[in-house]
Amino acid sequence: MRILLVEDEAALAQRLREALVDAGFVVEPVADGEEALHLGKIEPYDAVVLDLGLPRMDGVSVLQRWRSAGIETPVLVLTARGRWPEKLAAFSAGADDYVTKPFEVQEVIVRLRALMRRAAGAPSAAIECGPLRLDTTSGSVTVDGAPVRLTTHELRILEYLLHRRDRIVSRLDIIDHVYDRDFDRDSNVIDVLIGRIRRKITVDVIETIRGQGYRMSSKSR
Ligand code: CA
């Protein structure tokens, strides 16, 4: 899952970035409001971490412009302690959740995962598709209760397909959401990874849609 991280304090941005990458996210860091506004409009992120006090354009204005442009990506706002009017402004601009500085980075991760699950229509920590189950908190995958071991990239792809289940996702969609922007987009590595995931999970829940991509569904065929 791909995250836009908007934070201008370099040390905090670095700490958040490392923790998010460790948690398996693809992270794109930016340090000013105008660039955040631009990237949020053109790039398909799964969630945004948005500081409110930013150079060039404040976070509330960025959020207002995304929402009025129809961008519905879940947004977690970072606010300073005691700034209640700022929090209210962020919520009325369309924020989905907030954490108050100083915070534990793990709290940011837990809240982001909850936002993305809600956006995918799955309120609990687990996402299921037939006998396949992913615990999004621990990153553990089971089939009929038996654990399946996946590599980081296999897990990212599986998680993305589960968040989009019953919908067709193209190879480019998958690349956009599970790899950094400099990834070679002509690569057929996605097909290779999907093949490996299928062999590991053994259940037939990932359908190939010819000429379009893949669809995860418990009722394929
Ligand atoms: Ca700031």
Side-chain angles (χ1 to χ4, degrees):
M1 307 301 274
R2 193 165 164 210
I3 309 288
L4 178 65
L5 171 61
V6 191
E7 171 58 68
D8 61 312
E9 280 171 55
L12 177 58
Q14 180 65 20
R15 202 154 56 84
L16 275 169
R17 183 185 189 174
E18 282 168 8
L20 289 166
V21 168
D22 282 350
F25 296 106
V26 175
V27 181
E28 218 157 294
V30 296
D32 80 77
E34 276 183 13
E35 194 186 354
L37 175 65
H38 174 66
L39 284 175
K41 280 183 174 174
I42 61 165
E43 297 284 335
Y45 298 105
D46 296 294
V48 179
V49 176
L50 180 65
D51 185 32
L52 292 182
L54 291 169
R56 297 175 72 198
M57 184 184 294
D58 67 90
V60 171
S61 302
V62 172
L63 187 50
Q64 271 164 349
R65 288 178 199 210
W66 280 337
R67 294 306 190 224
S68 57
I71 309 289
E72 292 178 357
T73 312
V75 172
L76 174 73
V77 157
L78 307 178
T79 70
R81 189 201 297 271
R83 298 261 186 89
W84 177 237
E86 194 178 72
K87 270 179 213 165
L88 274 184
F91 274 115
S92 48
D96 297 278
D97 199 359
Y98 71 89
V99 291
T100 304
K101 294 177 182 180
F103 49 76
E104 295 289 331
V105 289
Q106 285 308 316
E107 183 178 0
V108 172
I109 290 166
V110 167
R111 287 181 181 275
L112 271 180
R113 288 203 165 116
L115 285 185
M116 288 188 283
R117 280 198 308 271
R118 284 205 291 275
S124 86
I127 309 182
E128 293 178 353
C129 183
L132 177 70
R133 182 176 196 276
L134 167 70
D135 182 322
T136 59
T137 309
S138 63
S140 61
V141 174
T142 55
V143 172
D144 283 326
V148 177
R149 289 171 68 91
L150 298 175
T151 64
T152 306
H153 282 112
E154 291 164 0
L155 181 62
R156 284 183 183 172
I157 291 173
L158 186 77
E159 182 170 15
Y160 183 64
L161 291 174
L162 276 166
H163 274 95
R164 297 286 186 288
R165 56 195 185 287
D166 300 320
R167 281 180 274 176
I168 296 172
V169 295
S170 70
R171 288 167 183 79
L172 283 181
D173 282 337
I174 295 173
I175 290 171
D176 274 343
H177 288 266
V178 305
Y179 287 99
D180 289 317
R181 248 198 294 178
D182 50 8
F183 184 78
D184 173 10
R185 300 173 73 91
D186 294 328
S187 171
N188 63 6
V189 69
I190 298 300
D191 299 308
V192 174
L193 288 172
I194 294 271
R196 279 204 244 151
I197 295 167
R198 281 179 171 145
R199 284 193 292 280
K200 287 185 178 182
I201 63 178
T202 67
V203 287
D204 187 14
V205 290
I206 305 173
E207 200 182 347
T208 302
I209 312 292
R210 270 193 74 183
Q212 296 184 68
Y214 296 100
R215 180 169 56 202
M216 174 160 286
S217 162
S218 57
K219 35 190 185 302
S220 53
R221 84 186 53 198

